[in-house]
Amino acid sequence: MGDQEADIDRIKECAGALKRIHDTFEKRANPADGYGMAELGSQRLLDTFSTFGSNWKIHRKKLTEELQSLHGITKAAAEAYETLDHELAEALRRSDKQGSGKPGSGGNPGSGKKAGA
């Protein structure tokens, strides 16, 4: 079994960032709204902005759904890693307490350190 590390704080940061991005996308109106001939000066450019606006609504909805999903996944991962870490630490503490009265027990074999130290 290989050693693996999970940076729980980094995963939490990622989940938070995804949530903020999701909220921004969800609240963000179409950036092309509010422009007319007076501002753009060309029907062709106005039509392009209109097309962009229609596509933006479709793609924004898809993006917000994906961002919400990724936020949930990363948040759940951080929580699962944190729970697992606490459970493992507690199991190691119990193991140390159970073995503390026996010669050569209570430590982490081969490391020279007590488990959890």
Side-chain angles (χ1 to χ4, degrees):
M1 190 166 93
D3 291 334
Q4 295 184 10
E5 290 184 28
D7 186 342
I8 297 169
D9 289 334
R10 184 70 176 134
I11 295 170
K12 287 179 181 179
E13 287 174 22
C14 182
L18 287 165
K19 176 71 172 137
R20 287 188 300 278
I21 294 167
H22 167 268
D23 292 347
T24 299
F25 266 83
E26 191 172 58
K27 295 174 186 171
R28 182 80 171 177
N30 175 6
D33 280 348
Y35 293 103
M37 283 294 288
E39 291 83 15
L40 299 176
S42 160
Q43 185 61 45
R44 187 172 165 194
L45 191 52
L46 190 59
D47 292 343
T48 301
F49 265 58
S50 177
T51 300
F52 173 83
S54 298
N55 289 336
W56 173 253
K57 289 176 188 173
I58 294 166
H59 295 295
R60 185 183 74 178
K61 182 174 175 15
K62 289 178 184 176
L63 280 170
T64 55
E65 289 170 357
E66 288 296 318
L67 287 164
Q68 183 66 30
S69 175
L70 288 171
H71 167 256
I73 291 166
T74 53
K75 184 178 178 187
E79 290 168 355
Y81 281 124
E82 200 164 44
T83 299
L84 183 61
D85 186 53
H86 289 293
E87 289 173 358
L88 179 58
E90 185 58 34
L92 289 171
R93 281 191 285 276
R94 282 193 307 269
S95 177
D96 278 351
K97 285 180 185 178
Q98 290 174 352
S100 63
K102 300 175 186 172
S105 66
N108 190 355
S111 73
K113 290 184 179 180
K114 280 187 114 175

